Amino acid sequence: MVPFHFLYRTSLILLLSLGNMQTKLTFLGGAGNVTGSRYLIEANNLRVLVDCGMHQERDLRGRDWAPFPVPPETINAVLLTHAHLDHCGFLPKLVRDGFRGPIYCTPATTEIARIVLLDSAKLQEEDAEFKKKRHEREGREGPYPEIPLYTIADAEAVSPLFSPVPYEQVVKLDGGFTATFHDAGHVLGSAMIRVGVRLGRGQRSIIFSGDIGGWDKPILNDPTFFKAADYILVESTYGDRLSEPIEASVDKFAEAINETAKAGGNIVIPSFALERSQVLLYYLNKLLLENQIPHLAVFVDSPMAVGITEVFQHHPELFDEEMRKLIRQKKSPFHFAGLNLVTTVDESKAINHIQGTVIIIAGSGLCTGGRIKHHLVTNISRRERTIVFVGYQAIGTLGRLILDGAKSVRILGQQHKVRAKVIQLGGFSAHADRDELLQWLSGFKKTPRCVFVTHGEPETLPYFAGLVRDRFGGKVLVPGYLSEVVLD
Ligand code: ZN
């Protein structure tokens, strides 16, 4: 079989300079698509990988099964912007395949990534087992091997390599590399990373935006602005749209809860365990404190979301002023009446037997795995129930199919009619929208040598790149998967 990466090796080599062939940036994911962020910097005979994400689009998962484009043992260090799977989820495979260097990230990212990777490995083990049995029963083969991409043991092997670094502290790496982490306001511990690279007698700076958060969002501080950089990699997940104002989303959320409670149905919320679940708790707490919704039982049915909520409580220093005030007043969104943090399978199953309306928050956020699939099976075909999407749904995921109005969907190997009410709340996004991304770029007072537009859907990338070019001028590129750029 032809290795998958060779099929994609249509490397567009963009020579920004022929002068120094040593310093090179290669886009190993999150380029031309949204997930699988991995950017490799090669300079002074060293290799540093920024982010090590897993691909989540169904069509692109083959990239994670293919041999890594460079031997993992030749990578000297990994810098991690944050603990979402599309930024860190490939680490266990990288380590299993030979990477042994340090993984630098903030202390909160270290704690969250450990939880996220273990959960990912567990889900993959379970899914592989489930698929194997299903394929045996149906007498067919799936597109990928019926083995997990990595195991729990592989995820555990990543843990000792984490090297936590607080915000704003300069890390000196070998070969004249430096790295500094700055608050990205996206999820707890998330960072934008400024990488310094020695180039001849000079120095070049590259800013990796990671995922950029919004301004005036609950719990976290606002994203950091920068004044100058030689190269910028900017994400563009929401580069072609404006988010719904958060107040409008909260009003719709309250209305959906009240209407569904009146109809006697459940409210099922597929949610990312990191940030979105805590933000939902923040607003449920607020709506309860303001008497805008009835006192219903709220279940966070996700061991990972429960674990991450604990990490939030370890890091009050990362909270914004409003959140600190709530904690001081003993009105924490993580401890309100009716809140149930569910970890065991028995507790999870017991939710199905409760009479009356309950609110269920479960993962995964894209409905690609986890307990949400079971809750969807129970609830999706009942008219009085409501499925509330609170996050971005990538193309090719079950969540996107439901959101796009599919009349029937395949969940856990069975077709299910979609009869429940489906709504989307756009204001809870942890991503900056189009105008906020441009606002972030407007912080740069000097035109950089090049802006690379990454981490966006295929149709969003050129559109957002056009906006950046029109607004700020200079060189703006949309790199493709495996494209290489020589930095000068
Ligand atoms: Zn993210």
Side-chain angles (χ1 to χ4, degrees):
M1 195 175 90
V2 181
F4 205 87
H5 70 292
F6 285 132
L7 299 177
Y8 274 82
R9 199 172 267 286
T10 49
S11 306
L12 171 66
I13 301 185
L14 303 161
L15 294 178
L16 296 184
S17 159
L18 294 171
N20 192 323
M21 296 296 286
Q22 301 302 309
T23 303
K24 200 168 73 177
L25 183 60
T26 309
F27 297 83
L28 304 180
N33 72 306
V34 182
T35 69
S37 278
R38 306 162 190 169
Y39 310 108
L40 182 73
I41 316 168
E42 291 168 279
N44 309 317
N45 297 318
L46 282 168
R47 284 182 162 148
V48 173
L49 185 67
V50 180
D51 280 342
C52 187
M54 191 160 82
H55 285 89
Q56 288 167 315
E57 295 98 332
R58 267 182 198 175
D59 298 351
L60 302 182
R61 281 187 201 157
R63 291 181 185 177
D64 292 346
W65 289 94
F68 202 69
V70 297
E73 68 274 16
T74 65
I75 298 169
N76 300 80
V78 172
L79 311 174
L80 211 57
T81 59
H82 65 288
H84 273 147
L85 276 184
D86 61 326
H87 293 259
C88 74
F90 192 75
L91 279 169
K93 180 130 194 301
L94 195 81
V95 172
R96 192 181 67 200
D97 291 351
F99 173 73
R100 292 291 176 273
I103 301 163
Y104 295 102
C105 57
T106 66
T109 296
T110 302
E111 286 178 55
I112 299 167
R114 283 184 176 134
I115 297 172
V116 165
L117 294 178
L118 278 177
D119 184 83
S120 170
K122 188 165 162 279
L123 285 180
Q124 288 179 62
E125 287 191 5
E126 286 168 3
D127 275 3
E129 194 53 39
F130 190 84
K131 276 201 185 99
K132 200 173 158 195
K133 281 189 193 147
R134 177 148 55 86
H135 291 161
E136 272 170 16
R137 203 170 55 232
E138 295 171 359
R140 67 180 182 98
E141 276 182 21
Y144 306 118
E146 290 145 344
I147 52 167
L149 183 65
Y150 49 81
T151 62
I152 291 172
D154 295 329
E156 281 169 348
V158 176
S159 218
L161 303 180
F162 282 115
S163 201
V165 185
Y167 287 130
E168 310 294 330
Q169 186 179 300
V170 181
V171 187
K172 288 194 172 143
L173 310 173
D174 294 338
F177 275 99
T178 59
T180 321
F181 295 74
H182 303 270
D183 198 340
H186 167 59
V187 297
L188 195 80
S190 66
M192 298 164 176
I193 309 177
R194 179 197 282 276
V195 176
V197 186
R198 201 177 62 218
L199 198 100
R201 283 189 203 154
Q203 183 85 14
R204 293 285 178 267
S205 58
I206 313 168
I207 292 197
F208 293 85
S209 76
D211 287 352
I212 305 175
W215 276 259
D216 300 320
K217 290 291 170 82
I219 307 178
L220 301 181
N221 286 308
D222 291 343
T224 306
F225 282 109
F226 298 88
K227 286 204 173 69
D230 294 307
Y231 298 96
I232 302 168
L233 276 80
V234 61
E235 66 116 337
S236 60
T237 316
Y238 279 173
D240 61 353
R241 68 202 101 159
L242 297 175
S243 295
E244 189 173 271
I246 199 152
E247 299 78 18
S249 285
V250 177
D251 288 349
K252 270 203 244 172
F253 190 33
E255 199 184 303
I257 293 170
N258 286 317
E259 278 181 7
T260 313
K262 217 179 276 172
N266 290 339
I267 296 120
V268 179
I269 314 175
S271 176
F272 298 105
L274 170 53
E275 205 64 37
R276 202 66 43 86
S277 295
Q278 293 77 28
V279 167
L280 284 169
L281 295 181
Y282 179 94
Y283 282 113
L284 285 169
N285 183 46
K286 188 170 187 281
L287 292 170
L288 283 168
L289 287 170
E290 293 169 355
N291 283 321
Q292 290 197 52
I293 54 169
H295 278 265
L296 300 169
V298 176
F299 293 90
V300 177
D301 185 14
S302 157
M304 179 162 63
V306 172
I308 291 172
T309 304
E310 280 167 18
V311 178
F312 271 69
Q313 294 173 81
H314 301 163
H315 290 282
E317 78 284 0
L318 301 178
F319 295 160
D320 67 3
E321 188 43 44
E322 268 177 304
M323 179 70 179
R324 287 178 196 217
K325 197 170 148 196
L326 280 177
I327 306 279
R328 279 198 301 274
Q329 293 174 341
K330 307 222 176 303
K331 292 177 182 167
S332 168
F334 306 136
H335 296 287
F336 59 83
L339 174 60
N340 300 276
L341 303 176
V342 177
T343 52
T344 70
V345 173
D346 286 345
E347 286 173 309
S348 174
K349 285 182 179 161
I351 299 171
N352 292 336
H353 305 299
I354 297 172
Q355 299 291 315
T357 298
V358 296
I359 298 176
I360 305 162
I361 301 170
S364 73
L366 300 174
C367 308
T368 44
R371 292 181 184 174
I372 193 66
K373 285 190 166 183
H374 297 277
H375 291 300
L376 286 173
V377 166
T378 314
N379 290 281
I380 202 162
S381 302
R382 306 272 298 261
R383 279 180 213 288
E384 76 283 10
R385 317 225 160 171
T386 305
I387 298 163
V388 182
F389 285 100
V390 289
Y392 173 80
Q393 301 295 311
I395 290 175
T397 59
L398 174 61
R400 181 68 167 254
L401 286 176
I402 298 170
L403 194 57
D404 283 350
K407 297 271 175 277
S408 162
V409 285
R410 187 177 170 91
I411 313 171
L412 299 171
Q414 299 278 326
Q415 284 298 128
H416 295 270
K417 287 212 161 63
V418 182
R419 292 203 189 93
K421 199 172 162 194
V422 176
I423 65 163
Q424 186 180 31
L425 306 175
F428 292 130
S429 167
H431 281 275
D433 69 7
R434 185 193 73 195
D435 289 357
E436 288 171 316
L437 290 171
L438 292 170
Q439 183 188 338
W440 180 73
L441 284 168
S442 71
F444 292 91
K445 299 304 173 206
K446 206 179 125 215
T447 309
R449 287 165 185 261
C450 187
V451 176
F452 301 104
V453 179
T454 59
H455 198 291
E457 286 188 356
E459 59 280 10
T460 307
L461 290 158
Y463 168 80
F464 185 68
L467 287 183
V468 176
R469 216 174 278 125
D470 292 348
R471 181 77 77 92
F472 305 106
K475 196 183 259 293
V476 182
L477 294 175
V478 178
Y481 180 56
L482 294 182
S483 63
E484 302 173 343
V485 178
V486 174
L487 306 179
D488 67 356

